[in-house]
Structures are given as structure tokens and as C-alpha cells.
Amino acid sequence: MAGLEGFEQPRGHGRVDDAARWSPAVEDERALKAVELFGDPTEAEVPLPSRPESAAAARRLTHFVVLRQWGLSPKLAEDAVLLVSELVGNAVRHTGARVFGLRMRRRRGWIRVEVRDPSRGLPCLMPVHELDVSGRGLYLVDKLSDRWGVDLLPRGKTTWFEMRVGDR
């Protein structure tokens, strides 16, 4: 295929492997495995290794909690997953930490997602231009959350965002 030299091409006759298909059931199963492996971020802070792959675990945990445990809207789950991915990406890329923590809380009318890392370096909200290909993380957090901030700790910081929810 033109332009894909050096990339492995799918084998078979256009058939997609069932395990590779996305489905809510498969995602729920993966999320449950993440909860078993790392813990429930609504009960206590979940430690995750500071590697890019941990963003997927954090996204799965967030999606599962917001949609399945808390029963909130798919749109809210989608936005929360995007924002947690941005905070985790910042923690992995910019802090030099070996581990970061993920915590999720809910109170009447609000959800709060926290990412704790051992760096006291503050994240910086940068101006974003149309053609920028990186540096949009906190811009997205600022635009999609109702409020966000950073709490300095004796050893590190917690970067968090909150979103309003309609309680039943």
C-alpha cells in the first residue's frame, strides 16, 4: 500500500479479528481488569507506573467509574476520559516520577478527578494556536472542565479538575 512501506499489513482476507474489535462489553471487561490490577480510584488513590501505557489504564478506570459506577452520561464520561488522559500525559512527560496517583471523587452536583505526582513543578496553561500539534492539554482541561487547579503538597502536587453533573 502506498505510503505504508515498513508497516506491517493486516493478514487474512479483510477479516477483522474478533479480539481487536471495540465493543462496550470488551471495554467493560478491560476496565474491570484494570480495577482488579490497580484498585478502585473512588475508594483510594490508585498508584500507576509513570509510563505512557498507564494513560490507557487511567482512561479505562475513568470511563468505567463515570459511566458504569456513577451512571453518568456518555458525553460526561468522554470528556472526563479526555481530561484524565491529558493530566496523566503531563505527569508522565514532565515530572520524572516513577509513579503517579489517580483518585476520583463524587459529591452532590460534581465529580472531581485528581492526578498526584511527586514533582512540585507547576503545570502551565499556554496559549494555543490553530496549527499547534502539542501543548493543548491544559487548554482542553481549562475549556472542558468547570474548574481545575493544582494543590501543592509537602512532596509533590495534585492537579485536578471538576465537572458539574446533574444528580438524579
Side-chain angles (χ1 to χ4, degrees), residues 13-21:
H13 303 286
R15 199 181 107 233
V16 176
D17 185 338
D18 287 342
R21 291 183 196 200

Side-chain angles (χ1 to χ4, degrees), residues 2 9 13 19 23 33 38-40 42 44-45 54 64 67 77 88 105 107 117 130 147 149 158 161:
Q9 299 302 310
H13 303 286
S23 76
K33 286 181 182 175
F38 300 109
D40 184 342
T42 65
E45 182 179 283
S54 292
F64 182 77
L67 202 57
V88 166
R105 302 168 192 258
R107 67 180 196 278
D117 65 70
E130 188 175 334
R147 53 186 176 215
T158 298
F161 67 85

Side-chain angles (χ1 to χ4, degrees), residues 130-152:
E130 188 175 334
L131 299 177
D132 290 346
V133 293
S134 66
R136 294 177 183 262
L138 283 180
Y139 174 80
L140 291 172
V141 172
D142 189 57
K143 293 300 177 197
L144 294 176
S145 70
D146 289 291
R147 53 186 176 215
W148 70 276
V150 180
D151 298 332
L152 284 176

Side-chain angles (χ1 to χ4, degrees), residues 32-153:
L32 285 172
K33 286 181 182 175
V35 170
E36 287 176 18
L37 183 61
F38 300 109
D40 184 342
T42 65
E43 293 177 2
E45 182 179 283
V46 171
L48 293 165
S50 189
R51 296 190 310 253
E53 309 86 63
S54 292
R59 285 191 299 270
R60 284 190 180 110
L61 290 168
T62 302
H63 188 267
F64 182 77
V65 166
V66 173
L67 202 57
R68 302 289 182 228
Q69 277 185 261
W70 291 341
L72 300 172
S73 76
K75 174 64 173 142
L76 185 77
E78 181 182 320
D79 289 348
V81 164
L82 173 62
L83 300 187
V84 82
S85 189
E86 296 299 338
L87 294 188
V88 166
N90 285 347
V92 169
R93 272 190 299 278
H94 302 299
T95 67
R98 290 194 319 220
V99 174
F100 66 89
L102 175 67
R103 177 90 167 131
M104 299 179 67
R105 302 168 192 258
R106 182 170 181 196
R107 67 180 196 278
R108 186 170 180 79
W110 293 90
I111 65 166
R112 179 181 174 108
V113 178
E114 303 173 343
V115 174
R116 186 187 55 78
D117 65 70
S119 169
R120 288 181 53 89
L122 296 175
C124 203
L125 179 60
M126 303 295 287
V128 174
H129 300 92
E130 188 175 334
L131 299 177
D132 290 346
V133 293
S134 66
R136 294 177 183 262
L138 283 180
Y139 174 80
L140 291 172
V141 172
D142 189 57
K143 293 300 177 197
L144 294 176
S145 70
D146 289 291
R147 53 186 176 215
W148 70 276
V150 180
D151 298 332
L152 284 176
L153 306 170

